[in-house]
Amino acid sequence: MEVRRGALTLAVLLALAEPHYGYSLRKKLARQGLEIDEGTLYPLLRRLEEQGLLSSYWQQEEGRKRRFYQIDSSGEIALAAMRREWQSLNLVIGQLAEKIQYGDGINGERD
């Protein structure tokens, strides 16, 4: 669950390179294959805004006022660090998975 939480934060920050309101953000992520329910998304958006990584504003669209979110400069800095960490972890996990696939590591350790 912790991996998914971190991945959702990363995905939301990446997706908010352009402004979205909650529902449009959910749809964008779903089109990419990442389902996220409202009970997870909205608290995440509020937390990221409280942390100073997002900004929000109200805008009239389709006859309704909607709260739009967008990554801000502090969020960009955090996103760059998160991407580096994600890529590093992905590389290590890939290498570990490859070792296990070919009989090295864990129970058949040859290192």
Side-chain angles (χ1 to χ4, degrees):
M1 292 304 290
E2 292 298 318
V3 171
R4 180 167 168 78
R5 183 176 301 159
L8 289 177
T9 300
L10 180 57
V12 165
L13 289 173
L14 287 166
L16 288 175
E18 57 187 35
H20 282 278
Y21 57 94
Y23 182 74
S24 69
L25 178 59
R26 281 185 65 213
K27 295 299 266 185
K28 177 178 182 153
L29 293 171
R31 281 192 305 272
Q32 297 297 315
L34 184 59
E35 297 288 335
I36 182 171
D37 62 58
E38 291 177 9
T40 300
L41 179 60
Y42 290 104
L44 175 58
L45 289 170
R46 284 191 295 274
R47 187 172 70 249
L48 293 174
E49 187 172 23
E50 287 170 5
Q51 292 172 348
L53 305 179
L54 301 179
S55 57
S56 69
Y57 58 91
W58 290 95
Q59 180 175 317
Q60 190 83 14
E61 184 172 290
E62 299 173 11
R64 297 183 59 194
K65 280 189 97 171
R66 300 180 190 275
R67 189 173 192 161
F68 282 77
Y69 296 89
Q70 187 169 11
I71 193 169
D72 63 16
S73 58
S74 296
E76 293 283 354
I77 293 166
L79 176 58
M82 290 175 70
R83 288 179 81 165
R84 284 191 303 274
E85 182 69 17
W86 182 268
Q87 290 166 344
S88 175
L89 286 171
N90 195 35
L91 178 64
V92 170
I93 291 169
Q95 290 170 346
L96 289 169
E98 189 173 302
K99 282 184 175 187
I100 292 169
Q101 179 179 356
Y102 294 109
D104 296 345
I106 310 265
N107 294 325
E109 294 185 36
R110 287 198 263 178
D111 291 332

